Amino acid sequence: MQKDKVRGVSIHTTGEGLAYYIHYDQNGTKHVDKQMYEEAIASLQKWDHQIDQNKTEIRALKL
């Protein structure tokens, strides 16, 4: 079974403090703990960096 893709994250304030959420492609939004939230942020940053790197390589090839 393939792992569901993380599409985004969010933090909401509640009466008890902060609530962390991960937005998945197939499974919708899930309430998670801070550690899972931070892992999702790291994963999204990794993909963002990879996309930027790929765009730079494509621009270089077009020149």
Side-chain angles (χ1 to χ4, degrees):
M1 187 169 137
Q2 189 175 4
K3 191 174 181 181
D4 199 5
K5 294 179 181 126
V6 174
R7 295 295 182 191
V9 295
S10 61
I11 299 176
H12 301 262
T13 56
T14 68
E16 293 90 36
L18 298 177
Y20 301 91
Y21 295 90
I22 298 177
H23 309 285
Y24 293 99
D25 186 39
Q26 299 294 320
N27 293 323
T29 300
K30 303 290 180 192
H31 182 257
V32 298
D33 61 22
K34 186 175 181 180
Q35 180 181 352
M36 289 180 67
Y37 171 83
E38 289 173 350
E39 290 171 5
I41 291 263
S43 174
L44 289 170
Q45 288 173 337
K46 179 187 114 192
W47 281 108
D48 188 47
H49 175 72
Q50 184 65 47
I51 290 167
D52 287 343
Q53 187 176 1
N54 290 353
K55 286 179 182 178
T56 301
E57 290 173 5
I58 290 170
R59 279 191 293 257
L61 289 173
K62 288 182 178 180
L63 295 176

